[in-house]
Amino acid sequence: MEFRNRPNAPDAASPSSRKSTSSPAPGDRVTVQALEREVRRLDDPRYSTVRSRKSLRHEERGSGKVLWLSVIAITLAYLGFLGFSVIRPKLTAPRPAAPADEAAIPLLPAVDSDPALDIDTPATETVSASVLIDNARRSRNLAEEGRRALRARQWAQAEVKLAEAAEYAPYSYTILFDWATALIEQKRWSAARDVLVRALEVSPESTPARVALAQVFHQLREFQNALAMARWTLEAEPYSETAHQIAAEVYTSLNEFERAITHWQRLVSLNSNDHAAENNLGAAYLKLGQVNQAIKTFENVLRDEPGNSQAYYYMALGFLAKQEPDLAVDVLTRASLRFGRPFVLSWTKGPEFEALRDTPVYRQHFGEATPP
């Protein structure tokens, strides 16, 4: 029995039969089972998710390409604008007209130079680093030699070396101050003043330079300048004993004893062992007529230092000012036992003891005749 092959029923093993389940060709018979399989495949969520991911990936790639193309286009346009801005002045600048004939251009007449106007302009001098290093080395070596001479108390040699060092280092405060020290030790006050002024210009806040300059002004009897320097020092260093002493001595020289007492008192409070300042304080009390305070001051000195001859001297003057010659002679007698009679008699030669020499008590203890 022969069977006729059906044209619309392909072989199940052929490739076309495998494709019929997904996309049946026209004219093929579609079975109910194939349609059900296709519906289940389309309803499967995994298939829809894969398809949506693929579509999103294609959309992202497309949008990224568009963005990069936009950025490149904008960059090229900006670079083109910059290039045009650079070459535009050259393109639009007017070109100078070429001269018709070089021989037709008139030449300026030659002018003879005036010798009086020929001034050579000095060229700017450049100091090399090697020169600066060499100068620094020379100044350092000379300054060390000068300081060694200072320590050896060779003042003249120190002055020469430090002055030479200052030529190589004119703005070195330490060199200038040491140089001034050598001048002060030689009592060359004017030269020391000039060098100290230079040192203060370099370092205005230097207290040692201010004090030294105040001392120099005092020695030069430039009292107002000395006071100005002392006050300037005390503004920065209110406990500077040297500044107080200079101010007290200057005020004493100017007979302004009340102001001098202020600084002598400050000195005594700063240093209780400064008996010289205490004697000066008592002498200032005597000048102001404050005799009792003066005698009390000298007694304090002699209690701490029994061998202080100045305290004996001023105390005798104090009792003499109080019209008490007996007590004055008693003080002189105590002094003669400690220092010797000739030494004490030399005190009474002065006019301040003239009234005491005529008293009977003085003649009794020191003889009738005035000491030779």
Side-chain angles (χ1 to χ4, degrees):
M1 183 175 179
E2 294 181 0
F3 293 92
R4 183 182 300 177
N5 292 332
R6 296 179 181 179
N8 293 330
D11 188 5
S14 65
S16 61
S17 66
R18 290 193 299 267
K19 294 180 180 179
S20 63
T21 59
S22 59
S23 55
D28 291 343
R29 296 178 61 184
V30 178
T31 63
V32 175
Q33 292 82 1
L35 289 175
E36 289 176 354
R37 284 195 301 270
E38 184 67 14
V39 169
R40 285 195 301 269
R41 188 178 67 86
L42 293 176
D43 292 339
D44 191 352
R46 290 177 298 173
Y47 173 78
S48 61
T49 303
V50 171
R51 185 178 59 182
S52 61
R53 287 180 180 175
K54 289 183 180 180
S55 61
L56 284 175
R57 192 177 298 114
H58 286 298
E59 291 176 1
E60 289 176 357
R61 288 177 182 175
S63 61
K65 290 180 181 179
V66 172
L67 179 61
W68 277 109
L69 289 176
S70 302
V71 171
I72 293 172
I74 292 173
T75 305
L76 291 176
Y78 180 72
L79 293 176
F81 174 76
L82 290 179
F84 179 75
S85 301
V86 172
I87 64 174
R88 180 180 179 182
K90 298 181 179 179
L91 296 175
T92 58
R95 296 181 180 180
D101 187 3
E102 292 182 358
I105 301 176
L107 299 177
L108 294 175
V111 180
D112 295 335
S113 61
D114 188 357
L117 300 178
D118 292 340
I119 302 174
D120 295 333
T121 305
T124 305
E125 296 183 359
T126 359
V127 182
S128 61
S130 60
V131 174
L132 294 176
I133 295 173
D134 188 54
N135 289 344
R137 184 174 61 253
R138 289 182 181 179
S139 66
R140 183 175 61 251
N141 295 337
L142 289 168
E144 287 299 325
E145 293 179 13
R147 294 185 182 107
R148 283 197 295 268
L150 278 178
R151 290 191 291 268
R153 304 180 69 83
Q154 299 173 354
W155 314 124
Q157 183 179 354
E159 174 198 346
V160 172
K161 293 297 182 181
L162 291 167
E164 190 175 354
E167 293 181 0
Y168 293 101
Y171 301 106
S172 172
Y173 165 78
T174 55
I175 292 176
L176 293 172
F177 186 79
D178 292 339
W179 181 14
T181 302
L183 293 169
I184 290 173
E185 293 295 340
Q186 299 177 79
K187 302 187 185 305
R188 298 181 56 189
W189 309 117
S190 298
R193 173 190 58 196
D194 298 338
V195 176
L196 285 172
V197 168
R198 289 175 55 185
L200 276 176
E201 289 176 353
V202 174
S203 180
E205 302 302 323
S206 170
T207 300
R210 295 180 187 180
V211 171
L213 189 55
Q215 291 174 324
V216 169
F217 280 136
H218 186 209
Q219 294 295 331
L220 291 171
R221 301 189 66 80
E222 299 180 13
F223 295 133
Q224 297 303 325
N225 290 334
L227 283 175
M229 278 295 138
R231 284 195 293 263
W232 189 19
T233 303
L234 291 173
E235 288 178 1
E237 298 288 340
Y239 302 105
S240 172
E241 297 182 18
T242 309
H244 280 294
Q245 182 170 354
I246 293 172
E249 290 177 354
V250 170
Y251 282 126
T252 301
S253 301
L254 296 174
N255 294 326
E256 299 184 18
F257 299 109
E258 290 183 357
R259 294 184 177 181
I261 284 175
T262 302
H263 293 282
W264 291 128
Q265 287 175 338
R266 192 61 182 273
L267 273 174
V268 172
S269 65
L270 291 173
N271 185 3
S272 59
N273 295 324
D274 191 353
H275 300 302
E278 202 164 0
N279 282 332
N280 289 322
L281 174 60
Y285 284 135
L286 284 178
K287 292 291 185 180
L288 290 177
Q290 303 177 16
V291 181
N292 292 331
Q293 187 67 32
I295 293 175
K296 183 179 178 180
T297 303
F298 299 131
E299 288 175 348
N300 292 335
V301 173
L302 291 175
R303 183 173 56 251
D304 296 336
E305 188 181 3
N308 193 306
S309 59
Q310 282 191 340
Y312 284 106
Y313 174 83
Y314 284 116
M315 184 183 290
L317 288 178
F319 284 120
L320 190 58
K322 290 182 67 174
Q323 304 296 324
E324 296 180 357
D326 295 344
L327 294 179
V329 170
D330 182 62
V331 172
L332 293 176
T333 303
R334 289 162 52 194
S336 64
L337 294 175
R338 180 174 290 275
F339 307 111
R341 182 183 178 89
F343 180 70
V344 174
L345 287 176
S346 66
W347 296 352
T348 60
K349 290 181 180 180
E352 59 272 15
F353 285 99
E354 183 177 359
L356 182 63
R357 290 197 300 264
D358 296 332
T359 60
V361 67
Y362 178 83
R363 295 193 187 98
Q364 179 183 357
H365 288 83
F366 293 99
E368 297 183 0
T370 304

